[in-house]
Amino acid sequence: MVRLPGRFGGGSARRPGGPRPAQTPDHPHDRHEAPLKGSSPTRVERDGSPERRRPPGALRAAVGGRSVAGQVFVLQVVIVLLLVVAAVVALVLQVRHDSTVEARNRSVAVAQAFANAPGTVEALKSPDPSAVLQPRAEAARRATDVDFIVVMDTDGIRYTHPKPDRIGKKFVGDIAPALAGRVVTEDITGTIGPLVQAVVPIKDDGKVVGLVSAGITTAKVGGTADEQLPLLLMAAAVGLALATGGTALVSRRLLRQTHGLGPHEMTRMYEHHDAVLHAVREGVLIVGGEGRLLLANDEAHRLLDLPADAEGRHVRDLALPADTALLLASGRVATDEVHRVKDRLLAVNQRPTDIQGGPPGSVATLRDSTELRALSGRAEVARERLDMLYDATVGIGTSLDVTRTAEELAELAVPRFADFATVDLFDAVLSGGQPEAATTLRRTALSGIREDAPLFKVGERIPLVDSAPQARGISSGRAVLEPRLAEATGWHAQDRERSAHVMEYGIHSLIAVPLRAGNLVLGTVSFWRSDKPQPFDTEEVALAEELVTRAAVSIDNARRYTREHTMAVTLQRSLLPRRLPEQDALDIAYKYLPAQAGVGGDWFDVLPLSGARVALVVGDVVGHGLHAAATMGRLRTAVHNFSALDLPPDELLALLDELVARIDQDEAEESGNSPVTGATCLYAVYDPVSRLCTIARAGHPPPALIHPDGSVEYPDVPAGPPLGLGGLPFETADLELAEGSRLVLYTDGLVEDRERDIDVGLELLRTALEQAGPSPEDTCRTVLDARPPARATDDIALIVARTRALGADRIAEWQVPADPAAVSDVRAAVTRQLARWDLDDLAFATELILSELVTNAIRYGGDSIHVRVLFDRTLICEVFDTSSTSPHLRYAAMTDEGGRGLFLVAQLSERWGTRYTPAGKVIWAEQPLP
């Protein structure tokens, strides 16, 4: 009989089924063992373990000590109670001992301190020692919280006492050791209760001239401990309750495991279990968590031909077949797995034993299923086909690339299903389009057991012949089976020379399946066999169709993504600037890197403004795809329009914020939800005359500034909220840039990704900028080369602008009084200045422009008028005044006396306009240089 190690009782060593002697119960409750023969009903608990139905009061009786669980519960409670009582007694004794020691130490310390205090010896020598020492003793007693401090002479006569009526009386206590110069302590019971007193000598030149005694009651020292005693007892009670509760839980679990049985009942139950275990005609194995065999019944020994000492050995050491030993050692779930063991075919079922808190390991049952041998091959083939379909589900379509998806299909089919697999698609599918009627295919993927097969190579065009299996499959929408290619005349007609080579190579069977996604035919898939002698059959045609159907969905998804991606890239490139405008204020270089997956909404722009100024814009729209690209185009167009108004950066961002909020609102009304478009933007305006750069940003990363000496900093530009949130104002920062400084603007894709925080990215960018060359192109190249070689998940826009300054020799300024007579002086001054610049050809037009602008300023603009002429790529005339009223161009009637001034300015200049300043406005006009 095989026994589980650690089993209760010795048990009988006889074989099951032999005669069994009658047993006399040792306890009265042993009479309840009769139902173990099968007559007692059972029920299943929530955890799945069977529990015997016990009569009322059985649980109380079990915990009362008759059952194993009850005995364990009582024993554990007694042990815990003894430990708690012992701990409480030990703590109380320790507290009392500490109180006595503390009383002795304090009384000795107080007595010695008073005896050695300055003036004590002199007080003893005074005519009235009590008058001097009594106040001191009382003050020291109150300060040290002792019960008394008594000073006495060498005869024990008191000089001090807390009760004055006892001064002059004999001290009660042993003073002989103190007279000998030693410190003496004693425990006595006085009128105030048990106390500890210390007597200390007072010495003068080595001679004892008096004594000091200090005493304190143990109740005063141990009072705190006594106050803590209830808390200690309460903690002990709580600990006892918790321990008892834990013990009860353990005992309850043990009660459920043992079903309330006593030791003798459990012994009999295990004997019955042994009898049943060895009587069944099904092999039973119990394997531990480490893979060691714990139990095997007689049938398991017979079926597996196990040695007599198999229990306790690892299953891999039992000379079992490799697959069977691997299954038993793994402990995994198995249901009717067929394993060949010598000449037997065994159906193995295995379940782990630790699913519901049991011990680690597994239980396996074995059935001799040799009659299933004929079905095992078909079952294995079916399992392999299901595995292949599962692998197709998870392994095909891992990327949104048409070609790669086709390659995954071909690679999956070889060699598990076919020796060669080819995927042929229409050209329109490869570019993301929808295939129309076509007569040729293009070989997109080819996979085979060898590389020298005479099939069409990848990239070659394949003509469609109506009689070919591929063409027939496309036209019918069903798979075409050619089990013997040598007899397929239609296939030979497609390319007779190549077909002959294919036959000579050994390829003998074909399945052609159309690649369909709904009603759309994307191409065809062909499966070929050469080394496998058996041809394809009808069951394999069904498998091929299922395999291709699953792959067709992924290929169609990749086609749709390719189409959308191509459209988004085209839209994005059409919306980004094709070239930078001509201007002399900044030397600019830029780089734009699109993301490898999807199209983002990053954008940038360079906008020439009036007065030789230039605006730099960089922004980022949240999200990817067509929506992000379209929103980016709308924002870029809006910035173009708003910049034409010469608005300050903070006001321009405020208008963009309102625009993005309206876009979100419109989309929410159309789709019923709020997609929250969201965008970030940085807008900077650089003036080459003042070398002042005004910057504002809305949720965008800060700009970087490279000084002419090569040092790098991130200027403190207030960070406004992202566009679209609304409700918060934007702030600007004014930076005075030295000529030759480089301003670096970028989007967050350069400094931030999923694996790197933005602070780390900013430091890496600072390091790269410190190593960059002096030119903007070198700076762009260095920054992009310094990026980690990771897959770009977001677009990157980078602008590097090196500042230039308009020289003082190209600037002319005049302060004009508010007098119409001053207009002639302005005309004369500008004529002389144009002569110095060799621009005499522009003198007449410039005089007329300034004459009209200055006259308007004198008439409507206020007292302070300032004229400035800039010689840049164009000749710029500017008139500053303190009025905020903007002039408007109109057509004067024939009878009107005025109203033609701005009309003349517009006709003579290339463009003109008005911009506002904190002090008023500027009317400007630009003329092209001759």
Side-chain angles (χ1 to χ4, degrees), residues 53-90:
R53 291 185 179 177
R54 294 181 293 275
L59 178 62
R60 189 183 308 108
V63 180
R66 291 185 303 227
S67 67
V68 174
Q71 294 175 5
V72 172
F73 175 77
V74 173
L75 179 61
Q76 289 182 342
V77 170
V78 170
I79 293 175
V80 171
L81 181 61
L82 291 177
L83 291 176
V84 172
V85 171
V88 172
V89 171

Short mmCIF file of all heavy atoms in Angstrom, two decimals, residues 53-90:
data_model
loop_
_atom_site.label_atom_id
_atom_site.label_comp_id
_atom_site.label_asym_id
_atom_site.label_seq_id
_atom_site.Cartn_x
_atom_site.Cartn_y
_atom_site.Cartn_z
N ARG A 53 -21.98 16.63 6.71
CA ARG A 53 -23.06 17.24 7.48
C ARG A 53 -23.01 16.70 8.91
O ARG A 53 -23.14 15.51 9.14
CB ARG A 53 -24.42 16.91 6.85
CG ARG A 53 -24.64 17.60 5.52
CD ARG A 53 -26.03 17.33 5.02
NE ARG A 53 -26.27 18.00 3.77
CZ ARG A 53 -27.39 17.89 3.08
NH1 ARG A 53 -28.38 17.12 3.52
NH2 ARG A 53 -27.54 18.55 1.94
N ARG A 54 -22.83 17.57 9.85
CA ARG A 54 -22.77 17.16 11.25
C ARG A 54 -24.08 17.53 11.92
O ARG A 54 -24.71 18.55 11.59
CB ARG A 54 -21.59 17.84 11.95
CG ARG A 54 -20.25 17.38 11.41
CD ARG A 54 -19.11 18.05 12.14
NE ARG A 54 -19.09 19.48 11.86
CZ ARG A 54 -18.48 20.01 10.79
NH1 ARG A 54 -17.87 19.21 9.94
NH2 ARG A 54 -18.48 21.31 10.60
N PRO A 55 -24.48 16.76 12.87
CA PRO A 55 -25.72 17.09 13.59
C PRO A 55 -25.53 18.36 14.38
O PRO A 55 -24.42 18.82 14.58
CB PRO A 55 -25.92 15.85 14.50
CG PRO A 55 -24.56 15.28 14.67
CD PRO A 55 -23.85 15.52 13.38
N PRO A 56 -26.65 18.99 14.82
CA PRO A 56 -26.53 20.22 15.62
C PRO A 56 -25.66 19.98 16.83
O PRO A 56 -25.74 18.98 17.51
CB PRO A 56 -27.99 20.53 16.00
CG PRO A 56 -28.82 19.84 14.97
CD PRO A 56 -28.06 18.64 14.58
N GLY A 57 -24.80 20.96 17.10
CA GLY A 57 -23.89 20.85 18.23
C GLY A 57 -22.60 20.19 17.89
O GLY A 57 -21.72 20.07 18.74
N ALA A 58 -22.43 19.73 16.63
CA ALA A 58 -21.18 19.06 16.25
C ALA A 58 -20.01 20.03 16.28
O ALA A 58 -18.92 19.67 16.68
CB ALA A 58 -21.34 18.42 14.87
N LEU A 59 -20.26 21.30 15.81
CA LEU A 59 -19.17 22.29 15.83
C LEU A 59 -18.74 22.57 17.25
O LEU A 59 -17.55 22.64 17.57
CB LEU A 59 -19.63 23.57 15.13
CG LEU A 59 -18.61 24.70 15.11
CD1 LEU A 59 -17.37 24.27 14.35
CD2 LEU A 59 -19.22 25.95 14.48
N ARG A 60 -19.73 22.67 18.18
CA ARG A 60 -19.40 22.95 19.58
C ARG A 60 -18.62 21.79 20.16
O ARG A 60 -17.65 21.96 20.90
CB ARG A 60 -20.68 23.20 20.37
CG ARG A 60 -20.41 23.71 21.79
CD ARG A 60 -21.71 23.89 22.58
NE ARG A 60 -22.67 24.70 21.86
CZ ARG A 60 -23.78 24.21 21.31
NH1 ARG A 60 -24.05 22.91 21.42
NH2 ARG A 60 -24.62 24.99 20.67
N ALA A 61 -19.03 20.59 19.78
CA ALA A 61 -18.33 19.41 20.29
C ALA A 61 -16.93 19.30 19.72
O ALA A 61 -16.00 18.89 20.40
CB ALA A 61 -19.13 18.14 19.96
N ALA A 62 -16.80 19.72 18.42
CA ALA A 62 -15.48 19.62 17.80
C ALA A 62 -14.50 20.56 18.45
O ALA A 62 -13.36 20.21 18.72
CB ALA A 62 -15.61 19.93 16.31
N VAL A 63 -14.96 21.81 18.73
CA VAL A 63 -14.07 22.78 19.36
C VAL A 63 -13.88 22.47 20.83
O VAL A 63 -12.96 22.96 21.47
CB VAL A 63 -14.63 24.22 19.14
CG1 VAL A 63 -13.74 25.25 19.79
CG2 VAL A 63 -14.80 24.50 17.67
N GLY A 64 -14.78 21.66 21.37
CA GLY A 64 -14.67 21.35 22.80
C GLY A 64 -13.50 20.49 23.15
O GLY A 64 -13.21 20.29 24.33
N GLY A 65 -12.78 19.93 22.18
CA GLY A 65 -11.57 19.19 22.51
C GLY A 65 -11.56 17.78 22.00
O GLY A 65 -10.52 17.13 22.01
N ARG A 66 -12.69 17.25 21.54
CA ARG A 66 -12.70 15.87 21.07
C ARG A 66 -12.09 15.74 19.69
O ARG A 66 -11.49 14.74 19.36
CB ARG A 66 -14.12 15.32 21.07
CG ARG A 66 -14.67 15.14 22.50
CD ARG A 66 -16.01 14.48 22.47
NE ARG A 66 -16.94 15.25 21.68
CZ ARG A 66 -18.17 15.55 22.07
NH1 ARG A 66 -18.59 15.17 23.25
NH2 ARG A 66 -18.98 16.22 21.29
N SER A 67 -12.27 16.77 18.85
CA SER A 67 -11.71 16.72 17.49
C SER A 67 -10.28 17.22 17.50
O SER A 67 -9.81 17.83 18.48
CB SER A 67 -12.56 17.57 16.54
OG SER A 67 -12.43 18.94 16.90
N VAL A 68 -9.59 16.98 16.38
CA VAL A 68 -8.22 17.48 16.24
C VAL A 68 -8.21 19.01 16.30
O VAL A 68 -7.37 19.61 16.97
CB VAL A 68 -7.61 16.98 14.91
CG1 VAL A 68 -6.25 17.61 14.69
CG2 VAL A 68 -7.49 15.48 14.93
N ALA A 69 -9.18 19.64 15.62
CA ALA A 69 -9.22 21.11 15.64
C ALA A 69 -9.48 21.63 17.04
O ALA A 69 -8.88 22.62 17.48
CB ALA A 69 -10.31 21.59 14.68
N GLY A 70 -10.40 20.95 17.83
CA GLY A 70 -10.68 21.40 19.18
C GLY A 70 -9.48 21.26 20.08
O GLY A 70 -9.18 22.14 20.90
N GLN A 71 -8.74 20.16 19.96
CA GLN A 71 -7.56 19.98 20.78
C GLN A 71 -6.49 21.01 20.46
O GLN A 71 -5.86 21.57 21.36
CB GLN A 71 -7.02 18.56 20.57
CG GLN A 71 -7.95 17.47 21.07
CD GLN A 71 -7.46 16.08 20.74
OE1 GLN A 71 -6.37 15.90 20.20
NE2 GLN A 71 -8.28 15.06 21.04
N VAL A 72 -6.31 21.30 19.17
CA VAL A 72 -5.33 22.32 18.80
C VAL A 72 -5.75 23.69 19.32
O VAL A 72 -4.94 24.46 19.82
CB VAL A 72 -5.17 22.36 17.26
CG1 VAL A 72 -4.32 23.54 16.83
CG2 VAL A 72 -4.52 21.07 16.79
N PHE A 73 -7.08 23.99 19.27
CA PHE A 73 -7.56 25.29 19.74
C PHE A 73 -7.32 25.46 21.24
O PHE A 73 -6.80 26.49 21.69
CB PHE A 73 -9.05 25.42 19.41
CG PHE A 73 -9.68 26.67 19.96
CD1 PHE A 73 -9.48 27.89 19.35
CD2 PHE A 73 -10.47 26.62 21.09
CE1 PHE A 73 -10.04 29.04 19.84
CE2 PHE A 73 -11.03 27.76 21.61
CZ PHE A 73 -10.82 28.98 20.99
N VAL A 74 -7.69 24.45 22.03
CA VAL A 74 -7.51 24.55 23.48
C VAL A 74 -6.04 24.69 23.84
O VAL A 74 -5.65 25.51 24.68
CB VAL A 74 -8.14 23.31 24.17
CG1 VAL A 74 -7.82 23.30 25.66
CG2 VAL A 74 -9.65 23.31 23.96
N LEU A 75 -5.19 23.88 23.20
CA LEU A 75 -3.76 23.94 23.50
C LEU A 75 -3.17 25.32 23.17
O LEU A 75 -2.43 25.90 23.96
CB LEU A 75 -3.03 22.85 22.71
CG LEU A 75 -1.49 22.80 22.90
CD1 LEU A 75 -1.15 22.54 24.35
CD2 LEU A 75 -0.89 21.73 22.01
N GLN A 76 -3.54 25.86 22.02
CA GLN A 76 -3.00 27.17 21.64
C GLN A 76 -3.50 28.28 22.57
O GLN A 76 -2.77 29.19 22.93
CB GLN A 76 -3.37 27.48 20.19
CG GLN A 76 -2.63 26.62 19.18
CD GLN A 76 -2.98 26.98 17.76
OE1 GLN A 76 -3.99 27.60 17.53
NE2 GLN A 76 -2.16 26.56 16.82
N VAL A 77 -4.79 28.22 22.96
CA VAL A 77 -5.32 29.24 23.87
C VAL A 77 -4.61 29.18 25.22
O VAL A 77 -4.26 30.22 25.81
CB VAL A 77 -6.84 29.07 24.03
CG1 VAL A 77 -7.36 29.95 25.16
CG2 VAL A 77 -7.56 29.43 22.76
N VAL A 78 -4.38 27.99 25.75
CA VAL A 78 -3.69 27.86 27.04
C VAL A 78 -2.28 28.42 26.95
O VAL A 78 -1.81 29.16 27.84
CB VAL A 78 -3.68 26.38 27.48
CG1 VAL A 78 -2.77 26.17 28.68
CG2 VAL A 78 -5.10 25.93 27.83
N ILE A 79 -1.57 28.10 25.85
CA ILE A 79 -0.20 28.60 25.69
C ILE A 79 -0.18 30.12 25.61
O ILE A 79 0.62 30.80 26.27
CB ILE A 79 0.45 27.97 24.45
CG1 ILE A 79 0.65 26.46 24.67
CG2 ILE A 79 1.78 28.64 24.14
CD1 ILE A 79 1.17 25.73 23.44
N VAL A 80 -1.09 30.69 24.81
CA VAL A 80 -1.13 32.15 24.68
C VAL A 80 -1.47 32.80 26.01
O VAL A 80 -0.89 33.82 26.40
CB VAL A 80 -2.14 32.54 23.59
CG1 VAL A 80 -2.36 34.05 23.59
CG2 VAL A 80 -1.66 32.10 22.23
N LEU A 81 -2.44 32.21 26.77
CA LEU A 81 -2.81 32.78 28.07
C LEU A 81 -1.64 32.76 29.04
O LEU A 81 -1.38 33.74 29.75
CB LEU A 81 -4.00 32.00 28.63
CG LEU A 81 -4.55 32.48 29.98
CD1 LEU A 81 -5.05 33.90 29.86
CD2 LEU A 81 -5.67 31.58 30.47
N LEU A 82 -0.92 31.65 29.10
CA LEU A 82 0.26 31.57 29.98
C LEU A 82 1.31 32.61 29.59
O LEU A 82 1.91 33.25 30.45
CB LEU A 82 0.84 30.15 29.93
CG LEU A 82 -0.01 29.05 30.56
CD1 LEU A 82 0.66 27.69 30.38
CD2 LEU A 82 -0.24 29.32 32.05
N LEU A 83 1.53 32.77 28.28
CA LEU A 83 2.52 33.76 27.84
C LEU A 83 2.11 35.17 28.22
O LEU A 83 2.92 35.98 28.68
CB LEU A 83 2.72 33.65 26.33
CG LEU A 83 3.41 32.39 25.83
CD1 LEU A 83 3.45 32.38 24.30
CD2 LEU A 83 4.83 32.31 26.38
N VAL A 84 0.81 35.50 28.08
CA VAL A 84 0.34 36.84 28.42
C VAL A 84 0.45 37.09 29.92
O VAL A 84 0.91 38.14 30.37
CB VAL A 84 -1.10 37.02 27.93
CG1 VAL A 84 -1.68 38.33 28.45
CG2 VAL A 84 -1.14 37.03 26.42
N VAL A 85 0.03 36.09 30.76
CA VAL A 85 0.12 36.26 32.22
C VAL A 85 1.57 36.40 32.65
O VAL A 85 1.91 37.27 33.48
CB VAL A 85 -0.56 35.06 32.92
CG1 VAL A 85 -0.28 35.09 34.41
CG2 VAL A 85 -2.05 35.08 32.66
N ALA A 86 2.44 35.57 32.08
CA ALA A 86 3.86 35.68 32.44
C ALA A 86 4.43 37.04 32.06
O ALA A 86 5.20 37.64 32.80
CB ALA A 86 4.65 34.55 31.77
N ALA A 87 4.03 37.54 30.90
CA ALA A 87 4.53 38.85 30.46
C ALA A 87 4.04 39.96 31.38
O ALA A 87 4.79 40.87 31.76
CB ALA A 87 4.09 39.11 29.03
N VAL A 88 2.75 39.90 31.80
CA VAL A 88 2.23 40.94 32.69
C VAL A 88 2.92 40.91 34.05
O VAL A 88 3.31 41.94 34.61
CB VAL A 88 0.70 40.78 32.83
CG1 VAL A 88 0.16 41.72 33.88
CG2 VAL A 88 0.02 41.05 31.51
N VAL A 89 3.08 39.69 34.62
CA VAL A 89 3.75 39.57 35.93
C VAL A 89 5.18 40.07 35.85
O VAL A 89 5.67 40.81 36.72
CB VAL A 89 3.68 38.11 36.41
CG1 VAL A 89 4.54 37.91 37.65
CG2 VAL A 89 2.24 37.72 36.71
N ALA A 90 5.87 39.68 34.78
CA ALA A 90 7.26 40.14 34.63
C ALA A 90 7.34 41.65 34.52
O ALA A 90 8.22 42.29 35.10
CB ALA A 90 7.89 39.46 33.41
#
